[in-house]
Amino acid sequence: MPVFYGTEIASPLMLGTAQYPSPAILAEAFRASGAGIATVSLRREAGGGQDFLRLMEELGVPLLPNTAGCHSAREAITTARMARELLGTDWIKLEVIGHTDLLAPDVFQLVEAARALTEDGFKVFPYCTEDLSVCGRLLDAGCEVLMPWGAPIGSGLGLSNPHGLKALRAAFPDVPLVVDAGIGLPSHAAAAMELGFDAVLLNTAVAKAGDPAAMARAMAQAAEAGRAAFLADPMEPREMAVPSTPVIGKAFLS
């Protein structure tokens, strides 16, 4: 199971709490998923207030507040401090959006905010790209987890740059890595885990499914299967056929 900042998480699936049709459906999806972490924005929590917090407490899933919707380091830092005061945790998923249409991270503001929050005692989970230079700077800023996107938030496109994600895994073999955003199908979750990632984080694919609980269960199973496949040391792809049945010793008719 993944370990973040010294804490072992019960599942490689991390699930968001936004966009569900009702609190009851949210609860059903979380129970079906066995998710190890629930992400929640301060804006989302404010909409549900104590009822939402009570529901999450009943589900027993650790909360990871995030700075969703922030567009500057200053805004993200302020939101993180409010979340810590409200939710009583020093964990923060750090989002600083730089492009409105793609919801792509502003990597310059992200590094600035990560450094400031780390110095302020936060354990930062940065939503970033798979760029090796950016990830290196985030680690230098004090982050101990990296959360590169698979594709734009809510797109369901899967892994847009699997080669970049694979290179990131190779470059930082001992850093916990989470594919965050873009996962739309269980096969996407499995593919991320097969690359050696420690967890996947998704929201829309479950919340907007026709049957959120069934999709949550499928995502959890896929994440676990992908991790098991990675640990099994799978074969490398080949460009030519290799017979699975040897021909040596077989009888040939002339």
Side-chain angles (χ1 to χ4, degrees), residues 24-110:
I25 292 176
L26 182 152
E28 185 182 7
F30 266 87
R31 292 190 181 100
S33 73
I37 287 178
T39 61
V40 54
S41 71
L42 192 61
R43 292 168 174 80
R44 168 66 181 84
E45 192 284 325
Q50 292 302 315
D51 289 340
F52 173 79
L53 292 179
R54 192 176 303 110
L55 172 61
M56 300 312 298
E57 183 176 353
E58 290 173 358
L59 291 172
V61 184
L63 294 182
L64 175 62
N66 69 40
T67 62
C70 293
H71 289 76
S72 70
R74 181 177 180 182
E75 184 182 9
I77 291 167
T78 299
T79 302
R81 289 171 175 163
M82 292 172 63
R84 179 168 62 182
E85 181 176 348
L86 181 65
L87 300 176
T89 178
D90 56 7
W91 282 21
I92 191 73
K93 179 191 170 187
L94 180 61
E95 294 184 29
V96 185
I97 301 302
H99 192 285
T100 302
D101 291 335
L102 294 178
L103 298 180
D106 183 327
V107 296
F108 304 101
Q109 295 285 305
L110 181 66

Side-chain angles (χ1 to χ4, degrees), residues 92-226:
I92 191 73
K93 179 191 170 187
L94 180 61
E95 294 184 29
V96 185
I97 301 302
H99 192 285
T100 302
D101 291 335
L102 294 178
L103 298 180
D106 183 327
V107 296
F108 304 101
Q109 295 285 305
L110 181 66
V111 172
E112 178 184 339
R115 180 174 291 107
L117 289 172
T118 298
E119 292 174 352
D120 194 23
F122 283 90
K123 296 177 174 63
V124 179
F125 295 67
Y127 163 62
C128 58
T129 68
E130 70 276 17
D131 184 277
L132 294 177
S133 297
V134 171
C135 289
R137 290 180 182 273
L138 287 167
L139 295 174
D140 291 342
C143 298
E144 297 181 14
V145 178
L146 296 172
M147 301 180 70
W149 64 349
I153 293 172
S155 67
L157 291 173
L159 307 185
S160 296
N161 185 11
H163 299 293
L165 293 172
K166 186 175 182 179
L168 182 64
R169 177 72 286 175
F172 304 112
D174 300 322
V175 176
L177 299 179
V178 181
V179 169
D180 176 13
I183 291 177
L185 293 170
S187 58
H188 301 158
M193 299 300 292
E194 287 170 8
L195 291 176
F197 279 68
D198 298 275
V200 291
L201 171 54
L202 55 104
N203 186 168
T204 309
V206 168
K208 292 299 185 181
D211 186 337
M215 183 60 75
R217 186 178 298 109
M219 288 291 187
Q221 293 169 342
E224 292 178 2

